[in-house]
Amino acid sequence: MQTLEQTSRRNFMKIAAAASGGLFLGFNWTNSSALPVVVDAKSIAAGSINFNSYLSIGTDNIITIVSPNPEIGQGIKTAFPMVVAEELDADWKQVKTVQGNLDTGIFERQVTGGSGAVPHSWERLRKAGATARHLLVEAAAAKWNVPATELTTENGKVLHKTSGKSASYGELAEAASKLTAPTEVKLKEEKDFKLIGQSVRNVDNHNIATGKPLFGLDFYKEGMLFALIQRPKAFGLKLKSVDSAAAKAMPGIVDVVTFENSVAVVGKSTWQVKKAKDALKIEYEKAAELESTADHNRIFTQLMDNGEATVRRKDGDVDAAFKGAAKVIKAEYQCPFLPHSPLEPMNFFAHVREDGVELVGPTQTPERARTEVAKLTGIAPEIITVEITRQGGGFGRRLSADFVIEAAHVSKLVKAPVKVVWTREDDMTGGTYRPAVRYRFEAALDKNGTMIGYKLRGVGMNSGNSTREDNFPSGSVDNLLIDSVEHKSPITTGPWRAPITNFLAYAEQSFLDEVAEAAGKDPVAFRLELLEKAKKSPVNAIKYDVDRMIAVIKLAAEKSNWGKKKGVFQGFSVYFSHRSYVAQVGEIVMQKGKPVLKNVIAAVDCGIVINQSGSLQQVRGGVVDGLGHAMYGNMTFKDGAPDQSNFNGFRLIRMNEIPEVDVHFVNNGISPTGLGEPALPPAGGAMANAFYKATKQRLRNQPFVNEEVFKGIS
């Protein structure tokens, strides 16, 4: 398997044509309504047919596939070609993948976010590979004058076992290109997969390990300038005055420009620009309330009790259920704002010219980047190009386009190609955080320990709907009320890996353990009881798959030997998000009187697993991310200014703190569902519930390390 540099449609055609002709296919792998595959190199090259990916088979046996979606570490640049190669029966060593750029008017849903790339692409990718295989078989059948039904394919060759004849795909490619593509093709059965389900190395591994220029920070173009930007140091401030004389006089500085609420220093190197930025003298004035963390705590309390709530779901008579309850359980949980903190800080290149705009860098939403720059510059989107680099993490931060807009602003003002680079401090204090949220849960039990009433109120800071009203346990409780209250804060927020559910899952799963204990029931049995109710006598809409959730619960309980390990304190958690289901068991042991998280057992239903290696990494990475941020992640504010600006103040989980993560996939044969995010939400709950088993102390707020019960525990 090889990789090529980024490409556009026309460049792809040049690459494919250089292979001495061959077979060209245009196909859709992300459009909601898949168009038929077409064998027409001229139409593909001209862009006259709306395809969003391309496959070529050269006469040299090289198979080239364009991958349109941004690669941020989730592995689609490897998984996508694997699916095509599986149905094609290709020799994996002969497959090349090309990172596609934003292709005006051609690509559909060229986005990485929401764990949606593989679910959208699965069937289309398979059909593309199967169609190419069909054409190659038909070409061989005509060449040998034998029925196509007598032919088989294997490892990049068509075989006729009766006569012993064989031909490589490269030999047949040109003849196949003259045939008409079928409208329907037969896909493989799962039992016949040879590549899908295996462990395949990431196609970029070698280039990453050897330091090849793949990332946005690596990008350099002769003659470009560098820019660092001073943004307000507190949310709620605006520019009043700028004294840039000292900065402009420093070596290597080309200009200092002001736009909107920012000051950009532009020069010939990042170090020169950084030194000059530090020399700026800027005055600010108040534009909105300068909120502190203490203010947020007060606002949470006020809105929780007296806020104007939006009802998200209401089933049955909640008031009557609580009034007649034998027992009522109530608890509140709170999480702070969090930065995304990807390894690669924000950066982007822009060259704004009268005849168009060139954009290059790491973005999860290239079309959004182009649209926003078109609005800013007044230049038609059709003459704005976006080259997508590999990304050193995103976690939702690069769904925004603010850093792209900055680069375009600066380039337009200085009339030169400019690369805007954020320092780690810029990245951590620049906003677009995970929203801070507080939840209040209430449950009503009857005399038999059955949950007859359930209430959830979420109060969020710029979170929109801070609940997921149709997730479990909705549909399993006769009387249920879920509502939310919103506070508009000057502190900017945005999607953070597994938006909303990243904290909601912990709070909900921790609370359900409290309810199970109050009911005198085993936590796993209690959840299964609720799900059986949802299955046999659902209450209004059920928008999750009850059987899939039951399956991961039972698998996690089985693999962890739930409740049967001596000296091991187990905590359970299960959650549905991004179309997938994950159950986790956290295992804590006491060492020298202190709790130590030793293991996490994860049961995952994400449908068919394409790449075992990549999938294991996604699950383990999600668990570690969830545990680390639940334990340590904390962003606090004083008068609108973040207190943390780098990793010396913002604590991340460390290598020696990571538990063993044992992953088990449910093999149910359904089409793949999301995997980039679903393993994160249950992690905090599994750990917190195990902690309670070990210490009899509940963890109600994140980060856990700030809870009173953690004092004296290292």
Side-chain angles (χ1 to χ4, degrees):
M1 180 70 191
Q2 302 177 41
T3 58
L4 300 175
E5 295 303 317
Q6 294 83 4
T7 187
S8 65
R9 179 182 64 253
R10 289 184 177 84
N11 286 340
F12 171 75
M13 292 305 300
K14 291 176 183 177
I15 293 168
S20 304
L23 173 63
F24 302 86
L25 297 179
F27 63 95
N28 272 8
W29 72 17
T30 53
N31 195 8
S32 58
S33 57
L35 299 176
V37 175
V38 169
V39 189
D40 185 349
K42 291 181 180 178
S43 295
I44 296 170
S48 59
I49 303 175
N50 184 29
F51 299 111
N52 62 19
S53 198
Y54 312 98
L55 161 70
S56 81
I57 302 174
T59 55
D60 59 355
N61 291 318
I62 297 299
I63 299 166
T64 309
I65 301 170
V66 172
S67 179
N69 293 64
E71 172 62 70
I72 58 172
Q74 81 282 42
I76 55 172
K77 196 175 174 183
T78 304
F80 280 4
M82 283 180 65
V83 178
V84 177
E86 177 66 70
E87 290 290 351
L88 183 56
D89 270 340
D91 178 354
W92 182 246
K93 295 176 183 177
Q94 298 295 324
V95 177
K96 293 182 179 179
T97 184
V98 181
Q99 175 63 63
N101 295 327
L102 182 68
D103 205 339
T104 305
I106 301 298
F107 291 98
E108 297 283 345
R109 199 192 177 275
Q110 198 177 0
V111 174
T112 291
S115 300
V118 169
H120 278 85
S121 311
W122 170 248
E123 186 176 351
R124 296 154 185 81
L125 290 164
R126 295 185 69 191
K127 285 182 177 179
T131 299
R133 176 183 174 277
H134 173 91
L135 294 169
L136 292 162
V137 168
E138 290 292 332
K143 180 179 179 179
W144 298 329
N145 195 27
V146 297
T149 53
E150 293 183 7
L151 303 180
T152 59
T153 56
E154 183 179 344
N155 211 29
K157 293 181 179 180
V158 180
L159 309 173
H160 186 234
K161 293 185 179 179
T162 303
S163 66
K165 292 179 179 179
S166 69
S168 70
Y169 286 173
E171 293 175 71
L172 298 167
E174 193 166 349
S177 71
K178 296 179 173 62
L179 303 177
T180 301
T183 55
E184 294 293 332
V185 288
K186 184 179 180 180
L187 302 178
K188 286 184 178 182
E189 294 183 28
E190 185 185 359
K191 64 181 178 61
D192 296 322
F193 288 161
K194 299 173 184 176
L195 186 60
I196 288 176
Q198 301 302 310
S199 288
V200 175
R201 291 179 180 176
N202 187 294
V203 298
D204 282 335
N205 273 0
H206 182 267
N207 287 340
I208 292 171
T210 55
K212 295 295 189 297
L214 297 171
F215 300 93
L217 283 176
D218 295 326
F219 178 80
Y220 178 78
K221 188 170 186 176
E222 191 67 33
M224 79 178 190
L225 301 174
F226 295 88
L228 266 67
I229 296 175
Q230 181 61 62
R231 303 162 193 87
K233 295 185 177 181
F235 295 94
L237 293 180
K238 65 179 182 180
L239 278 175
K240 182 179 180 181
S241 65
V242 180
D243 180 354
S244 60
K248 286 182 176 180
M250 296 179 72
I253 302 306
V254 173
D255 204 353
V256 176
V257 294
T258 301
F259 62 94
E260 295 183 343
N261 213 21
S262 300
V263 182
V265 181
V266 186
K268 296 179 180 179
S269 75
T270 52
W271 181 246
Q272 289 173 320
V273 168
K274 182 183 183 304
K275 297 296 286 183
K277 178 188 165 195
D278 294 340
L280 290 172
K281 297 177 181 178
I282 302 176
E283 285 188 73
Y284 295 97
E285 57 187 354
K286 187 176 176 181
E289 288 300 315
L290 304 179
E291 296 178 352
S292 300
T293 297
D295 298 320
H296 297 150
N297 292 331
R298 173 180 50 79
I299 291 167
F300 276 139
T301 300
Q302 291 174 344
L303 294 182
M304 186 64 75
D305 293 329
N306 303 306
E308 185 176 341
T310 299
V311 175
R312 303 295 179 177
R313 177 164 174 159
K314 186 175 182 180
D315 298 331
D317 189 338
V318 177
D319 291 339
F322 276 83
K323 186 176 181 180
K327 188 179 293 186
V328 172
I329 303 92
K330 183 176 178 180
E332 292 189 9
Y333 302 83
Q334 184 172 319
C335 71
F337 291 95
L338 285 182
H340 296 77
S341 303
L343 185 61
E344 178 188 22
M346 300 305 105
N347 65 92
F348 226 81
F349 168 87
H351 189 189
V352 178
R353 310 176 310 273
E354 290 184 2
D355 62 342
V357 180
E358 179 186 6
L359 301 173
V360 183
T363 171
Q364 293 178 242
T365 52
E367 189 169 5
R368 180 178 184 180
R370 182 186 65 182
T371 300
E372 294 299 325
V373 171
K375 290 179 184 177
L376 170 68
T377 61
I379 294 173
E382 292 76 18
I383 54 174
I384 298 175
T385 63
V386 184
E387 180 179 322
I388 306 164
T389 64
R390 189 180 175 93
Q391 302 170 46
F395 313 112
R397 178 63 181 90
R398 288 186 161 97
L399 290 169
S400 300
D402 53 318
F403 49 94
V404 183
I405 297 169
E406 287 180 340
H409 259 299
V410 178
S411 176
K412 183 181 178 183
L413 288 169
V414 301
K415 295 180 171 54
V418 175
K419 180 176 176 181
V420 167
V421 177
W422 291 40
T423 64
R424 176 59 62 194
E425 289 78 9
D426 293 333
D427 203 66
M428 195 168 286
T429 62
T432 315
Y433 303 116
R434 180 189 78 173
V437 182
R438 182 183 290 182
Y439 292 112
R440 175 182 290 166
F441 291 85
E442 298 175 71
L445 298 176
D446 66 12
K447 62 181 181 180
N448 297 317
T450 300
M451 188 161 69
I452 58 173
Y454 181 88
K455 291 195 287 187
L456 165 62
R457 170 166 291 183
V459 179
M461 306 274 178
N462 298 340
S463 64
N465 178 8
S466 56
T467 72
R468 290 295 180 264
E469 63 273 12
D470 293 321
N471 276 11
F472 176 78
S474 293
S476 68
V477 185
D478 290 329
N479 309 287
L480 175 144
L481 175 63
I482 297 177
D483 58 27
S484 66
V485 183
E486 174 80 341
H487 169 68
K488 296 296 184 183
S489 170
I491 299 171
T492 58
T493 62
W496 193 95
R497 192 176 187 182
I500 301 300
T501 62
N502 55 62
F503 177 69
L504 175 58
Y506 147 72
E508 172 204 284
Q509 291 296 304
S510 182
F511 180 68
L512 286 178
D513 257 38
E514 294 195 46
V515 179
E517 183 180 49
K521 298 177 180 180
D522 173 80
V524 171
F526 180 67
R527 288 167 173 82
L528 290 174
E529 177 185 300
L530 289 171
L531 287 165
E532 287 298 329
K533 166 73 186 304
K535 186 175 180 178
K536 294 176 181 177
S537 52
V539 183
N540 295 328
I542 301 285
K543 296 188 178 180
Y544 51 91
D545 190 312
V546 174
D547 289 330
R548 290 179 71 188
M549 184 169 276
I550 289 174
V552 293
I553 289 175
K554 290 183 175 180
L555 181 61
E558 174 197 337
K559 295 300 183 180
S560 66
N561 203 17
W562 174 258
K564 300 175 182 177
K565 293 181 178 179
K566 292 183 178 180
V568 177
F569 301 94
Q570 295 178 313
F572 194 85
S573 181
V574 63
Y575 210 71
F576 156 65
S577 69
H578 298 88
R579 299 166 293 274
S580 293
Y581 299 77
V582 181
Q584 294 176 17
V585 175
E587 296 187 335
I588 284 178
V589 298
M590 300 300 290
Q591 293 182 353
K592 298 180 180 179
K594 296 180 179 181
V596 178
L597 182 68
K598 298 292 287 185
N599 300 293
V600 174
I601 296 92
V604 182
D605 178 0
C606 59
I608 293 171
V609 173
I610 296 173
N611 184 357
Q612 277 284 339
S613 174
S615 298
L616 285 169
Q617 291 168 25
Q618 286 300 301
V619 175
R620 288 170 176 155
V623 170
V624 171
D625 204 9
L627 293 174
H629 282 94
M631 189 72 187
Y632 302 112
N634 195 22
M635 198 78 183
T636 58
F637 297 83
K638 177 65 176 176
D639 296 328
D643 292 321
Q644 296 78 22
S645 62
N646 209 318
F647 293 125
N648 61 327
F650 185 79
R651 176 81 150 83
L652 294 176
I653 193 169
R654 293 167 183 163
M655 293 293 288
N656 66 334
E657 296 166 339
I658 295 174
E660 292 293 324
V661 181
D662 186 17
V663 183
H664 303 272
F665 291 105
V666 174
N667 183 15
N668 53 19
I670 68 170
S671 297
T673 50
L675 193 55
E677 292 158 287
L680 186 149
M687 178 168 65
N689 291 335
F691 184 85
Y692 175 76
K693 290 280 189 70
T695 66
K696 296 303 177 184
Q697 299 290 324
R698 293 285 181 192
L699 299 173
R700 296 279 176 78
N701 303 302
Q702 292 183 4
F704 296 156
V705 74
N706 285 358
E707 292 284 80
E708 188 70 24
V709 297
F710 263 89
K711 289 187 176 179
I713 299 177
S714 60

